[in-house]
């Protein structure tokens, strides 16, 4: 018998409302932040979420890793409203760092992995990150005075202290700063709130009929091979959907090779 677990209320009914003085259509039943979206993943605890070569993180593993990374960042002084750059290749660590930043009420700033040193310096001047989480290869392009952490170590808890409590986040609080392509000048930062990320995700689930209350616990998981860089909005949506649907993301190791 197919069963649907009790899940947070998400719906497809919209009403006319107002956001920051502008009229807008709003979902009546909706998550208020990405932190609430993360809570949806508890439903799929035993399923694989992130896969890269022989590494597999279930949703339960993911939640534990996010807590560990959040603790590490918290000990580095990251708090609500701080901006944290992520400058690394696709990996489970990238995903866990992204959600750990939001867990703390801070703002994730994905850095374009193809930026030049000049573009990296310009972006850092714009957002003034508290710190940057980077891999060793991309760290070479950081300004010598940049404060950064090696992404290879952030998922391992260091020192004493429990996972910090999730920050209280308003719908209109900034969640992510994404940079434009910068085809005619330096990239420009675009701020996305928790509301905007949740609304976009909810729209995807509405059109695909995969709102939490519409899918059973035994829904076979879909598998997505992630070819987009995680600093792209399309890839961020790929990260969010599985938290609700229990699907799986597979990352390549190294550069793409058609063979």
């Amino acid at each position: 018998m197919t069963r649907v677990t009790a899940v947070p209320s998400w719906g497809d009914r919209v009403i006319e409302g107002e956001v920051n003085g502008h009229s807008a259509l709003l979902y009546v039943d909706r998550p208020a932040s990405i932190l609430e979206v993360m809570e949806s993943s508890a439903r799929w605890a035993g399923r694989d979420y992130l896969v890269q070569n022989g590494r597999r993180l279930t949703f339960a593993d993911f939640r534990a890793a996010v807590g560990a990374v959040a603790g590490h960042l918290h000990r580095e002084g990251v708090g609500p409203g701080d901006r944290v750059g992520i400058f690394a290749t696709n990996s489970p660590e990238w995903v866990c760092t992204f959600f750990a930043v939001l867990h703390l009420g801070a703002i994730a700033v994905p850095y374009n992995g193809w930026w030049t040193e000049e573009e990296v310096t310009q972006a850092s001047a714009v957002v003034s990150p508290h710190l940057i989480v980077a891999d060793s290869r991309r760290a070479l392009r950081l300004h010598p005075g940049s404060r950064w952490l090696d992404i290879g170590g952030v998922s391992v808890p260091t020192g004493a202290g429990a996972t910090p409590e999730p920050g209280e986040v308003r719908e209109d609080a900034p969640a992510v700063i994404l940079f434009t392509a910068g085809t005619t000048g330096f990239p420009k930062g675009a701020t996305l709130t928790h509301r905007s990320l949740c609304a976009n995700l909810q729209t995807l689930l509405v059109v695909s009929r995969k709102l939490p209350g519409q899918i059973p616990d035994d829904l076979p998981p879909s598998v997505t091979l992630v070819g987009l860089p995680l600093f792209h909005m399309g890839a961020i949506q790929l990260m969010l959907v599985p938290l609700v649907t229990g699907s799986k993301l597979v990352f390549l190791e190294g550069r793409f090779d058609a063979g």
Side-chain angles (χ1 to χ4, degrees):
M1 177 179 178
T2 298
R3 179 172 62 89
V4 176
T5 296
V7 291
S9 178
W10 299 51
D12 58 4
R13 187 164 64 92
V14 297
I15 59 173
E16 292 186 3
E18 185 176 291
V19 178
N20 296 330
H22 300 281
S23 60
L25 293 177
L26 304 175
Y27 286 108
V28 176
D29 300 308
R30 62 184 189 269
S33 71
I34 295 301
L35 301 186
E36 290 191 19
V37 176
M38 286 177 59
E39 289 302 311
S40 301
S41 69
R43 179 182 183 185
W44 314 105
R47 289 191 180 188
D48 287 339
Y49 172 34
L50 305 173
V51 177
Q52 189 172 45
N53 283 350
R55 303 173 58 204
R56 293 175 179 270
L57 268 69
T58 65
F59 285 95
D61 295 333
F62 158 73
R63 288 164 63 86
V66 168
V69 177
H72 193 139
L73 296 179
H74 182 69
R75 289 187 290 276
E76 292 290 336
V78 175
D82 287 333
R83 291 162 293 284
V84 177
I86 309 176
F87 194 28
T89 191
N90 288 8
S91 68
E93 285 80 9
W94 199 109
V95 178
C96 294
T97 300
F98 177 88
F99 285 103
V101 172
L102 300 187
H103 176 95
L104 294 172
I107 305 166
V109 187
Y111 277 36
N112 188 319
W114 303 320
W115 276 342
T116 64
E117 291 183 31
E118 187 179 19
E119 289 171 322
V120 172
T121 300
Q122 172 68 16
S124 294
V126 169
V127 299
S128 300
H130 180 83
L131 59 82
I132 301 169
V133 181
D135 58 34
S136 57
R137 179 181 171 187
R138 287 161 181 78
L140 296 174
R141 279 177 262 159
L142 296 175
H143 187 277
S146 300
R147 184 169 178 235
W148 71 283
L149 293 176
D150 187 343
I151 197 168
V154 294
S155 61
V156 180
T158 58
T163 299
E165 290 295 319
E168 293 187 11
V169 177
R170 298 177 293 103
E171 282 189 298
D172 292 325
V176 180
I177 297 176
L178 287 178
F179 279 85
T180 62
T183 51
T184 59
F186 282 116
K188 308 295 192 296
T191 302
L192 302 179
T193 64
H194 282 264
R195 181 199 298 274
S196 62
L197 290 178
C198 291
N200 193 37
L201 171 63
Q202 191 159 359
T203 297
L204 291 173
L205 299 175
V206 167
V207 299
S208 61
R209 297 198 57 77
K210 287 186 177 179
L211 289 170
Q214 296 173 324
I215 56 178
D217 294 315
D218 57 0
L219 176 75
S222 62
V223 181
T224 300
L225 178 63
V226 182
L228 289 169
L230 288 172
F231 58 76
H232 189 280
M233 183 61 209
I236 290 176
Q237 287 299 329
L238 290 180
M239 289 195 304
L240 295 176
V241 171
L243 301 177
V244 184
T245 63
S247 47
K248 181 191 303 182
L249 299 182
V250 178
F251 295 115
L252 298 168
E253 183 77 30
R255 291 180 176 274
F256 175 76
D257 185 328

